[in-house]
Amino acid sequence: MLEIKCPYCGKRSQNEFSYGGDATIKRPQLGEEISTEDWDNFVYYRDNPRGKHSELWHHVSGCRQWFKVSRDTATHEIFDTCKMNEDFNV
Amino acid sequence: MSNSFRTTNSTGLINKDKKINFTFNGTIYHGYEGDTLASALIANGVHLVGRSFKYHRPRGFLGVGVEEPNAMVQLHDGNKSEPNIIATEVELVEGLKAKSQNCWPSVQFDIGEINNVLNRFFPAGFYYKTFMWPKSFWMKIYEPFIRKAAGMGKAPLLPDPDRYEHNYEHCDVLVVGSGPSGLASALAAAKNGARVILAEDKPNFGGSLLTDEVTIGNMSGKEWASDTISQLKSMPNVILKKRSQVFGYYDHNMTVMIERVSDHIENPSKYTPRQRLHYIRAGEVIVSTGSIERPISFGNNDRPGIVLASAAKEYMKVYETLVGKKPIIFTNNDTAYSTALEFIKNDIEPIIVDTRDSSNGELVKEVQQKGISIKFNSGIADTKGHLKINSAIIGKLDSSKESFISEETVECDCICMSGGWTPTVHLSSQAGNKLKFNDDIDAFVPDKKRQKETAIGAANGSFTLNQSLAEGFQVGFDLSNKFTDQNNPTNSPNSNEPSYEKHEKLWCMPLPSGKKPKRFIDFQNDVAVSDVELAIREGFRSIEHVKRYTTLGMAGDQGKTSNLNGLQYVSKIEKKIVPEVGHTTFRPPYTPVTIGAIVGREVGNHYLPTRKSPIHTWHEENNAVFVAAGLWQRPRYYPRGSEDMNSAVNREAANVRKNVGICDVTTLGKIDIKGPDAPEFLNRVYTNAWLKLPVGKARYGVMLREDGMVFDDGTTSRLSENHFHMTTTTAQAANVLSHLEYYLQVVWPDLDVNVLSTTEQWSGIAVAGPKSRDLLSKLFPDVDMSNEGLPFMGLVDSSIDGIKARIYRISFSGELAYEVNVESNYGLYTWKKIMEVGQSFDIQPYGTEALSTLRIEMGHVAGAELDGRTIPFDVGLNSMVSQKKDFIGKRSLSKDAFTESDRQTIVGLVPLDKKTKIPEGSHIIEDNSAVAPIPKLGHVSSSCWSVEYNNPFSIAIIKDGKNKIGKNLYAVSPLKDISIPVEVVSSHYVDPEGSRVRS
Ligand SMILES: [Zn+2]
């Protein structure tokens, strides 16, 4: 079980959180003209990197904030966590 | 022969003043307090404890602790029965009952032993080869055969009556194992102020110090151990746990430890758990798990009475028990000589067989000084004795040590073997440590760590006491310094132990001349040298493949005694060095763990939390039959007298259509939405328009996922300019909240909106039916309930007996209906009040079944239709989709597949005979006489008995549904083996114009 540092609450066990996928995905603007291919890339296609991955987690059984986690998908090492409006330090 | 194998000394850890009676295979024996089941049986001369896994060969004890591969027994009877328990780990307790497993009819005479005679038919990979084909044989012939033949213990069929607990711990330093290095590191870390947990699997702390003749400072090793424990006990920053095995090392330094709390207590108190599972998140983990002695492979090296030399020593020193009175010591190293000396202390002269040409070790010399001659350059070629060893064939090795030049038969009643020592690296390996091979000790040791884990002492390949203590004190201090600022090191005391000469790199004896007895490597999985040879001959190269093909090092044992001997043999055949062969992965649990302990208290009603509405007690008092809706308990129906479910549901639903019904809808998700951008937010979240919803009005809304599938639906009301009250379905309440939070926090953080769940703050009561207006007028005389005063989708605040209430005019049943919301604490009172006033209007409560009937008849969609595979157009929600604005998921709706003209759509189905109910999940097909594969048009999502028309009615989602109305099709259920001719009708079966809700 991972130990994740919520930027609002501090270190908590993984079972308080839920995973929210790739944090680098940007939703297209509302009303934006967009090709089916670009839309499909947004909806369905995700990279599956081995190694460092910037991802979203949601502190569901805590402060209910979404935040960013930089995690190694192979070793589960967590390099940094930060609020949505912040950038990772490492 | 009761306890005839006890020694006469009393230097061990058993209490000969306290007799304990126990039963093994129906015979009553006695042992003493402090015994294990293993030591007590051995003391009574019982070595035969089970039959081997594959060949059903008679097997006895090999070890004395967790390393034991053979002596697995079934404990207790009935609901306490427990299979596959390692007898060396069971503390003797009065009345203990144990029996052998994997044998029939008895351990002495076992039918399965025929497998041994036929062993040439049971080579490595036997199962893979023999049972591959024909396929049809698998279920009926092969599987039952394998199950019967390969059966280990029997799982009890009754629920486990024992209590298990879970505990969560945090500490700075967790020390696993209380041998010299573990004690030293715990002491150093604790004295430096760190919060320390010290875990020991056995009932006594001390590890090898309990059996080794050493001195530390001015004390014996055993005294130093007990002195150190006393010091640790007195420190408030230390938790000492014995009978506690750390069996798993997971991510981020999470370890899991099983504590045997009351297994060893005769009559534990009712509230004492049997076992406790500790989740320990440690800052640093010190792995001081010691080492396990290696067996040697030689002909028939698995007979009862053949044990590890260290086990024989521990049985003598700790349990005052002799594994035999005519021992042979067989070794490739010096440490086994301490076992020889222990026998000599008990006036028994062992025969010593040493593969090496000579040794000048201190212990070897000491043995020689006692006048014992040693057979150097010799090995054991074979053994005899069916149920217990009675003799050994000792051979003189030739110079290459690849064959014997002469052989002699020697009587014996036990062989104590030693192939050297293997560091117990399981936990380090589980932690992700990349092991390296240490050629000096011929074993893998931890090297590149991935987690905060440090192996010390024998687990780190440091086999001398001096090294172990020095590492322990140093590492304990260094690691604790990360957590404290005391900087207070503890010095390592001087220690003294005999010097040892090097072991010989020889773990497999040549075969005796003219014979091919099995030479076992893995006792638990019955893997012999010949199986490894076969696997390699058949082309298995990767050690992981050899492991799976032969089953070497698998299962509960995890290769504790077999792993390295297997690797060494592969490397020998392959002519590769061991590091090139590599090693297999060690997996948790290190030792078997009872399922009950993993489950803990999460059993029965505690399996999941139960959510109850504030009106729950009324439902109970009024004979409700409940159904689980997620965690909620909801009334399904309220049977009267001898009514069955169908009659009750039909009565309840018909009463809503005719009079008035009342339904507890507290479980609906409710979300409070506030902020200046709230209308804009709802406009993006829902498919329809929200900007112009007037204050005091409710609106039905549908939300999609980005992929265009319907996510949820519900009504949302505007309470004031910037304040909305959203309702969700019961099932999706939590997901909708996360969804809204995601868009507000991640996607559109510029929107000034707050969302908050108010599901538990409001109690909701639906009042539905033609008489609902009259009833509410009486309940709320101040409110104008007329169609103009409170129109459909209107809402009004009022009160009932001084309780604030909000009345929504919304309908799920399709009838004129209202929903009364009050603060949760007043839910029950309000419900009772409505029931009381409603008597004169023939009010009846209705449950979820009638609720479904009513909405199905009306063609209102619910979870069965909104199953994550339907877009709004599939389920008749076309009018809900705004063409003017963008919203979540809108772009997906214009994708090719979603705009095909013959796409699936929602329809109604009525059976032609107007009698046969159509099972939910039935397939819809066009041609009943077609042969498989028959094209499927769609499926039945919801079914009910229409109380309006008094015949069955179903909703289905079928291809090109809108053009199928009026046609006859078939609903087939292969599960129930029925095919029902049906007519396709509109899904709006009752009141398609929707006039009733607006009446
Ligand atoms: Zn938080």
Side-chain angles (χ1 to χ4, degrees), chain B residues 744-821:
Chain B
L744 285 174
Q745 296 172 24
V746 179
V747 183
W748 301 310
D750 50 308
L751 291 184
D752 190 359
V753 180
N754 264 301
V755 292
L756 186 72
S757 167
T758 54
T759 300
E760 296 186 348
Q761 278 65 36
W762 291 103
S763 185
I765 301 166
V767 180
K771 294 182 183 172
S772 58
R773 175 174 289 133
D774 294 343
L775 169 56
L776 258 70
S777 300
K778 208 166 170 185
L779 282 163
F780 301 96
D782 299 341
V783 178
D784 176 5
M785 289 284 172
S786 71
N787 218 359
E788 295 72 38
L790 182 55
F792 181 54
M793 293 311 241
L795 63 103
V796 63
D797 283 345
S798 182
S799 66
I800 182 167
D801 292 352
I803 301 163
K804 281 188 189 169
R806 181 166 292 146
I807 306 158
Y808 300 87
R809 190 172 157 196
I810 52 178
S811 176
F812 191 50
S813 58
E815 295 298 326
L816 169 68
Y818 302 86
E819 199 183 301
V820 179
N821 275 214

Side-chain angles (χ1 to χ4, degrees), chain B residues 674-848:
Chain B
K674 270 185 182 163
D677 295 322
E680 172 61 26
F681 181 52
L682 291 173
N683 214 43
R684 297 179 186 186
V685 165
Y686 281 128
T687 58
N688 49 342
W690 285 81
L691 296 177
K692 290 176 183 152
L693 178 70
V695 173
K697 285 283 183 187
R699 185 167 283 178
Y700 175 65
V702 172
M703 52 179 91
L704 310 186
R705 310 188 308 217
E706 294 284 17
D707 65 1
M709 301 297 166
V710 178
F711 175 41
D712 198 44
D713 67 343
T715 56
T716 291
S717 316
R718 191 165 201 168
L719 305 176
S720 69
E721 191 60 28
N722 297 332
H723 188 189
F724 291 79
H725 173 80
M726 175 185 277
T727 65
T728 73
T729 59
T730 301
Q732 294 285 24
N735 296 335
V736 170
L737 184 66
S738 289
H739 177 79
L740 299 183
E741 286 167 336
Y742 172 82
Y743 281 93
L744 285 174
Q745 296 172 24
V746 179
V747 183
W748 301 310
D750 50 308
L751 291 184
D752 190 359
V753 180
N754 264 301
V755 292
L756 186 72
S757 167
T758 54
T759 300
E760 296 186 348
Q761 278 65 36
W762 291 103
S763 185
I765 301 166
V767 180
K771 294 182 183 172
S772 58
R773 175 174 289 133
D774 294 343
L775 169 56
L776 258 70
S777 300
K778 208 166 170 185
L779 282 163
F780 301 96
D782 299 341
V783 178
D784 176 5
M785 289 284 172
S786 71
N787 218 359
E788 295 72 38
L790 182 55
F792 181 54
M793 293 311 241
L795 63 103
V796 63
D797 283 345
S798 182
S799 66
I800 182 167
D801 292 352
I803 301 163
K804 281 188 189 169
R806 181 166 292 146
I807 306 158
Y808 300 87
R809 190 172 157 196
I810 52 178
S811 176
F812 191 50
S813 58
E815 295 298 326
L816 169 68
Y818 302 86
E819 199 183 301
V820 179
N821 275 214
V822 294
E823 214 182 288
S824 281
N825 288 344
Y826 298 112
L828 179 60
Y829 178 87
T830 309
W831 175 280
K832 283 180 173 170
K833 181 80 183 177
I834 299 173
M835 279 302 296
E836 182 194 317
V837 177
Q839 289 312 309
S840 54
F841 300 93
D842 298 315
I843 195 168
Q844 287 182 23
Y846 63 102
T848 54

